[in-house]
Amino acid sequence: WVKRCQYQYKLYQEGKPSNLNAEKIQMLDDMGMVWKRRADSWNDRFQDLVAFKEKHGHLNVSPELDNSLSDWVRHQRTHWKKYLADPMQSILTLEQVTQLESIGLELNLRSSKWQQRLEELREFKRVHGHTMVPYKYPNNQQLSSWCTTQRRFYTRLKNGKSSLLTHERVEELKD
């Protein structure tokens, strides 16, 4: 119930339709309602992440560099996925998601890895004049495996079966 109230309060603050009004909010305030759980600790960890980026020049926080911050970043990605599915089921707010994106944190690692492999494929084409990366390409086995997977996904997509390859990505591959 408290979590629902907090979500409705967040909607109210953003000027969106909410089950709460000023009178209900005042009543809950009078009872000692805590509207923003974890907000202060979240901001502290966010500032730690900003400091990490300033020190290291990137946001790839590995457990070896900072185990606690690495866990926090992993949890932000998990909560971002929940936020996309249903904002009410996530402890992240739109403002927090925006803050994470504003400093360049890649929340969708799959998309990031896919884009990285696409750039590697473009470089392969620039060097070799084609995109037929050999099955066991010794210079970049990850690219080789990725290409094999994309071909398999493309075949499934062409045959009307479920595929993780989207039509948008097919267009990117054609470029």
Side-chain angles (χ1 to χ4, degrees):
W1 181 81
V2 170
K3 191 171 185 175
R4 289 178 199 250
C5 284
Q6 290 169 332
Y7 177 70
Q8 291 299 317
Y9 179 75
K10 181 173 75 167
L11 292 176
Y12 180 84
Q13 293 294 95
E14 293 173 354
K16 296 178 181 173
S18 169
N19 293 335
L20 293 180
N21 58 32
E23 183 181 322
K24 288 179 183 177
I25 291 170
Q26 185 59 52
M27 286 176 25
L28 291 167
D29 278 340
D30 292 345
M31 294 184 336
M33 178 66 152
V34 177
W35 295 110
K36 292 186 178 184
R37 300 178 312 146
R38 302 182 181 124
D40 292 334
S41 63
W42 190 93
N43 287 329
D44 291 344
R45 294 307 288 170
F46 178 75
Q47 289 308 315
D48 292 344
L49 185 60
V50 169
F52 180 93
K53 182 179 181 182
E54 288 172 3
K55 179 179 180 181
H56 298 281
H58 62 79
L59 291 168
N60 300 324
V61 186
S62 68
E64 295 77 23
L65 290 174
D66 188 328
N67 190 46
S68 173
L69 189 58
S70 174
D71 282 345
W72 185 82
V73 168
R74 186 172 39 83
H75 285 122
Q76 300 317 295
R77 289 182 174 124
T78 299
H79 292 302
W80 172 76
K81 289 176 190 171
K82 289 180 182 178
Y83 183 87
L84 288 181
D86 180 2
M88 196 165 141
Q89 298 301 315
S90 174
I91 63 170
L92 280 181
T93 65
L94 176 60
E95 179 183 341
Q96 290 169 332
V97 170
T98 303
Q99 283 181 272
L100 292 168
E101 290 173 339
S102 75
I103 63 167
L105 182 65
E106 185 62 55
L107 293 169
N108 187 346
L109 288 181
R110 278 192 182 172
S111 177
S112 176
K113 292 282 186 197
W114 196 90
Q115 289 297 329
Q116 177 185 344
R117 296 289 175 256
L118 179 61
E119 289 307 313
E120 291 171 4
L121 180 60
R122 287 177 176 150
E123 178 61 17
F124 180 93
K125 182 179 181 181
R126 189 188 66 72
V127 170
H128 299 282
H130 61 82
T131 59
M132 296 303 297
V133 179
Y135 177 70
K136 297 240 181 203
Y137 183 53
N139 295 349
N140 189 339
Q141 186 57 49
Q142 290 175 325
L143 176 61
S144 176
S145 298
W146 181 81
C147 287
T148 300
T149 301
Q150 300 313 302
R151 289 182 190 115
R152 187 173 62 245
F153 287 160
Y154 181 70
T155 300
R156 290 185 60 80
L157 188 67
K158 269 189 358 182
N159 293 331
K161 296 181 181 178
S162 66
S163 172
L164 294 176
L165 186 64
T166 64
H167 292 287
E168 292 82 11
R169 286 187 171 176
V170 168
E171 291 305 313
E172 284 190 79
L173 287 166
K174 287 180 179 177
D175 288 343

